[in-house]
Amino acid sequence: MSETMRAVDVKGGAGPVEALHITSIPKPVPSGSQALVKVKAFGLNRMDLLQREGHYPVPPQAPKTLGVEFSGIIEALGDAPERGFKVGDEVFGLAYGGAYAEFVAVSTHMLVHKPKELSWEQCAGIPETWITATQAMYLVSKYAPGKSILWHAGASSVSIAGIQLSAADGASAVYATARSDDKTEFAVKTLGATAAFNTKTQDWAKEVLKATNGKGVDIIIDFIGAEYFAANLEAIARDGVIVNLGMMGGVQLKEGTSIAAFVMKRVTFVGSSLRSRDEEYQGKLRDQLVEHALPRFIDGRLQILVDRVLPWEEIQEAHRLLEGNKTKGKVICTIG
């Protein structure tokens, strides 16, 4: 058995799209609870772009190779795997890194058996996206049926998951924002949002207040950061929760930004991330995904939307697609 494998690397350690290339690196050896998975497909995420550029704080246990979600076949196991996994099993899962490669070593606590009804490409697009949405909704914002919720970046992969989960799990109303009419229409007609607002052409906070008869929305899931900070405080309801998962719109607030709503509305603002969480925390989310969402993927109640599938030799083009913000669903690369 070869001790090396092919993997995507970044020339110089960090750089632009053109720095991505496929090279040979040592093949990982599984230990403890880990499995060595032969990768069939992997999903792209915005954190990959930041990590490629050297702007993402990678967890200490992560390999330098990009990629956190994948599907594939177990080739070997460490000496203490989770019960129920064996060599030859078809799986998908979430890793701390290393998925842009022919093989990835990952804890069996973060693996899920691949249903026969789903493709390799679909399964590679589930873990990071759907677990992040589940975490933001249930663990962080304490969502409960009957609450209203707004998902920013409504055509992004996490919001595609979150909008569907919210609608399926009894939200009183599900709102979304996006930067084009095409994407707002997609959020309503394809994903089931109650309404969606174009942040380039509409005052979306005022539209939310109008849609809720002045009450505001109970939960806001935000990936934008500083650019939407003031409007989030305007659109949130009394005792509402704003969950920040990203800073695509910057980190510096405009001078004069009022924080009065924190007291006047008793607003909770909480930041969260998934990749920096420990294995036990991530494992609980994996279990929730298996129990809560997997049956709905199989019977079609929840859609795994894949926008583009490319061979991994076209990894540069795959990153360009994500950078262009034109996709409505996952970008997936296949190996083999």
Side-chain angles (χ1 to χ4, degrees), residues 212-246:
T212 58
N213 296 316
K215 174 181 180 289
V217 68
D218 296 316
I219 297 168
I220 294 175
I221 311 294
D222 176 41
F223 310 88
I224 310 302
E227 183 183 345
Y228 287 5
F229 184 86
N232 281 339
L233 291 179
E234 182 182 353
I236 196 71
R238 188 178 297 274
D239 295 314
V241 180
I242 301 168
V243 180
N244 180 259
L245 300 179

Side-chain angles (χ1 to χ4, degrees), residues 256-268:
T257 299
S258 172
I259 61 171
F262 283 110
V263 174
M264 302 298 289
K265 293 185 179 181
R266 301 189 296 265
V267 173
T268 298

Side-chain angles (χ1 to χ4, degrees), residues 171-189:
S172 60
V174 185
Y175 301 105
T177 67
R179 296 180 187 268
S180 71
D181 290 339
D182 177 47
K183 288 184 175 181
T184 56
E185 184 177 331
F186 167 77
V188 174
K189 292 188 175 178

